[in-house]
């Protein structure tokens, strides 16, 4: 039985990955931070099938203990301060978690067992002010937020440990991926839940920032499969995981409200306070390498994804 350790197991990606690995017959452990209020909403249904280890990406010794105790064959490092706007208000904390946290994980592997396979969650936010369209594994990085900068560090330190210490370490450069488990602070979930609230008479308006910003949005469950595939290859490498199609925030709004029979212009208010200090306008990924080497392709379309999220929010709010 293979064993895996997931950091960030209580998040969107971590919870889906835990389910996926359990279905594959893995023994799954998750790293969780000690907190006075614990939020296990996304993993409540599988808590009896996984082991939870208390550790923190800011604390080297707790990471070492968690790895020694769980003895994993594979580690998936999904934990980070992952909300871009927060990285502007807490840039140092973002750097500690999202950049140096990766080094602490890799150092622990180097000292405990260099045969452990490591997956690092890199991000399309590393491309920022894009230098070419679409973005591939060879596109230069130009991050436009403290989060993007921290992710670039995490990406390159993973490459560095792979080349310096012969650790099987991969970075998945994942473009935006969403689901009904997406955090409410992210624009997709803000829109789908906002539309559902308006439909049910629980809200009168939805305040948004830049409707013109475009993203390459996919379904989180599709992207989880790609993470696992990377660690099953003979040689470690880095992969862009994306749909290759871009959609604007306005399209997201149109689909969400349209699915509920609402005219979005009657309810959406543009709020300048919600604009980023430096916007990332044009992210779209080329997943050719993943298709060729991993046999990976996205299964769920943008429209199917957004409608699924709207329905899930509607059901949740009705309850």
């Amino acid at each position: 039985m293979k064993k895996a350790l997931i950091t960030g197991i209580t998040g969107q990606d971590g919870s889906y990955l835990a389910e996926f690995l359990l279905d594959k017959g893995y023994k799954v452990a998750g790293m969780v931070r000690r907190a006075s209020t614990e939020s296990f909403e996304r993993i409540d249904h599988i808590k009896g099938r996984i082991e939870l280890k208390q550790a923190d990406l800011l604390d080297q010794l707790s990471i070492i203990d968690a790895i020694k105790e769980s003895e994993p064959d594979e580690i998936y490092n999904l934990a980070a301060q992952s909300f871009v706007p927060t990285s502007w208000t807490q840039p140092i904390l973002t750097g500690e978690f999202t950049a140096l946290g990766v080094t602490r994980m890799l150092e622990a592997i180097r000292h405990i067992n260099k045969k452990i396979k490591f997956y690092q969650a890199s991000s399309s936010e590393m491309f920022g002010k894009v230098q070419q369209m679409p973005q591939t594994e060879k596109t230069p990085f130009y991050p436009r937020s403290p989060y993007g900068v921290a992710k670039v560090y995490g990406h390159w330190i993973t490459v560095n440990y792979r080349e310096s210490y012969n650790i099987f370490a991969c970075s998945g450069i994942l473009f935006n991926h969403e689901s009904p488990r997406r955090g409410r602070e992210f624009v997709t979930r803000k829109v789908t839940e906002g539309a559902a609230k308006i439909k049910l008479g629980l809200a009168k308006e939805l305040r948004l920032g830049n409707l013109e910003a475009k993203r390459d949005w996919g379904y989180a469950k599709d992207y989880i499969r790609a993470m696992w595939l990377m660690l099953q290859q003979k040689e470690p490498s880095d992969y862009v995981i994306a749909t290759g199609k871009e959609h604007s925030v306005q399209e997201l709004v149109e689909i969400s409200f349209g699915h509920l029979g609402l005219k979005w212009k009657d309810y959406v208010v543009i709020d300048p306070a919600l604009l980023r200090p430096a916007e990332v306008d044009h992210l779209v990924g080329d997943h050719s390498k993943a298709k060729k080497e991993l046999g990976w392709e996205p299964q769920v379309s943008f429209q199917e994804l957004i409608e699924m999220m709207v329905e899930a929010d509607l059901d949740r709010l009705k309850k």
Side-chain angles (χ1 to χ4, degrees):
M1 184 187 274
K2 270 191 178 178
K3 291 188 251 183
L5 176 65
I6 303 169
T7 75
I9 196 168
T10 59
Q12 168 189 262
D13 291 8
S15 62
Y16 282 127
L17 179 62
E19 288 172 356
F20 178 87
L21 294 175
L22 286 169
D23 287 346
K24 292 267 178 208
Y26 277 66
K27 184 178 179 186
V28 176
M31 210 172 98
V32 291
R33 296 176 70 202
R34 165 85 182 77
S36 52
T37 55
E38 295 180 328
S39 173
F40 295 142
E41 183 190 347
R42 296 184 183 97
I43 56 166
D44 268 341
H45 62 296
I46 53 167
K47 261 181 91 175
R49 300 170 63 199
I50 58 178
E51 259 189 281
L52 295 178
K53 305 284 182 192
Q54 278 195 355
D56 197 308
L57 284 184
L58 303 187
D59 183 63
Q60 185 75 65
L61 277 176
S62 67
I63 293 170
I64 288 168
D65 287 343
I67 294 173
K68 280 182 173 171
E69 285 170 23
S70 51
E71 299 181 322
D73 302 288
E74 299 170 359
I75 292 177
Y76 295 85
N77 186 41
L78 311 185
Q81 190 302 98
S82 63
F83 189 45
V84 175
T86 299
S87 77
W88 293 103
T89 54
Q90 299 185 340
I92 293 166
L93 186 71
T94 299
E96 285 285 351
F97 273 116
T98 308
L100 290 176
V102 187
T103 315
R104 293 186 191 104
M105 293 299 299
L106 288 162
E107 269 294 279
I109 289 170
R110 182 168 81 86
H111 287 285
I112 296 165
N113 177 9
K114 286 201 279 189
K115 288 192 168 64
I116 296 170
K117 292 183 173 185
F118 179 76
Y119 171 84
Q120 165 60 13
S122 284
S123 166
S124 59
E125 287 284 334
M126 301 189 304
F127 296 120
K129 189 174 179 179
V130 299
Q131 303 299 291
Q132 72 178 68
M133 290 285 295
Q135 292 93 55
T136 72
E137 292 79 8
K138 293 186 165 65
T139 302
F141 299 135
Y142 194 143
R144 296 267 278 173
S145 65
Y147 170 77
V149 173
K151 278 291 184 186
V152 170
Y153 175 97
H155 179 86
W156 282 119
I157 202 71
T158 301
V159 172
N160 190 260
Y161 272 64
R162 177 169 75 215
E163 294 176 353
S164 305
Y165 302 116
N166 203 28
I167 291 169
F168 192 111
C170 298
S171 275
I173 307 171
L174 271 57
F175 279 64
N176 293 61
H177 47 288
E178 318 296 317
S179 76
R181 293 184 193 170
R182 191 47 140 160
R184 287 176 173 82
E185 69 274 24
F186 291 86
V187 71
T188 42
R189 185 71 194 288
K190 187 177 175 182
V191 170
T192 61
E193 188 178 61
K197 278 182 175 172
I198 289 166
K199 179 69 178 176
L200 295 172
L202 301 171
K204 289 189 169 67
E205 65 175 29
L206 175 62
R207 303 184 84 82
L208 294 171
N210 181 10
L211 293 190
E212 303 306 310
K214 292 183 175 176
R215 292 288 185 275
D216 181 331
W217 274 300
Y219 180 34
K221 270 181 133 172
D222 285 343
Y223 287 42
I224 291 311
R225 196 171 72 254
M227 297 177 185
W228 176 76
L229 284 167
M230 286 177 214
L231 296 196
Q232 312 316 308
Q233 304 308 301
K234 282 200 171 76
E235 297 295 328
S237 192
D238 306 321
Y239 297 89
V240 163
I241 303 299
T243 69
K245 295 174 182 153
E246 60 180 356
H247 303 274
S248 66
V249 174
Q250 185 169 317
E251 279 179 79
L252 158 64
V253 171
E254 286 168 0
I255 292 170
S256 300
F257 280 79
H259 184 64
L260 298 172
L262 299 170
K263 289 182 181 165
W264 71 272
K265 286 184 179 174
D266 294 344
Y267 305 101
V268 172
V269 178
I270 303 304
D271 185 347
L274 296 173
L275 297 171
R276 289 185 184 187
E279 185 54 87
V280 173
D281 294 311
H282 225 65
L283 291 173
V284 58
D286 177 354
H287 67 277
S288 305
K289 180 181 173 185
K291 184 179 177 181
K292 182 171 174 244
E293 295 184 13
L294 306 177
W296 181 88
E297 279 200 89
Q299 309 288 313
V300 176
S301 74
F302 179 66
Q303 179 144 352
E304 288 169 332
L305 167 64
I306 300 309
E307 289 177 355
M308 176 204 305
M309 290 175 69
V310 171
E311 286 296 330
D313 279 323
L314 205 57
D315 286 349
R316 196 180 290 110
L317 290 165
K318 279 178 184 171
K319 284 173 189 163

